[in-house]
Amino acid sequence: AEGIDREQFACTKNLMLGEAIMGLESIEDVATDQAAVWLKNHTLYDEIRALAALTPEDVDAALPELLCADHSSTLRILKNTAT
């Protein structure tokens, strides 16, 4: 079977949902996150609903584009030898 591991997907999705819901308990986190999602023209609740609705099939369908070499970059950090 190709695609992502279904058990790992479920664990990761549940972890992310838990973190998103816990973040609603902090006024500072809500304010920061709300500002970020406002720029995308949606709400925190839209993001949580989208995550809750996400399926392994959605991720499998997105993987070819997400992992496309044309959409990636490499950063090389060189040690500064000048003193």
Side-chain angles (χ1 to χ4, degrees), residues 11-78:
C11 289
T12 302
K13 178 179 170 178
N14 289 339
L15 174 69
M16 292 175 73
L17 278 169
E19 289 174 346
I21 292 167
M22 283 182 5
L24 296 174
E25 295 180 1
S26 164
I27 292 172
E28 183 178 338
D29 288 349
V30 169
T32 301
D33 293 344
Q34 189 60 43
V37 297
W38 180 82
L39 295 172
K40 300 177 196 173
N41 199 30
H42 57 268
T43 69
L44 290 174
Y45 301 105
D46 294 334
E47 293 222 335
I48 292 171
R49 279 192 285 274
L51 179 56
L54 189 67
T55 67
E57 291 77 21
D58 295 330
V59 176
D60 286 339
L63 281 178
E65 184 174 346
L66 292 171
L67 299 177
C68 176
D70 292 339
H71 300 162
S72 66
S73 62
T74 302
L75 174 66
R76 185 172 175 199
I77 300 173
L78 302 174

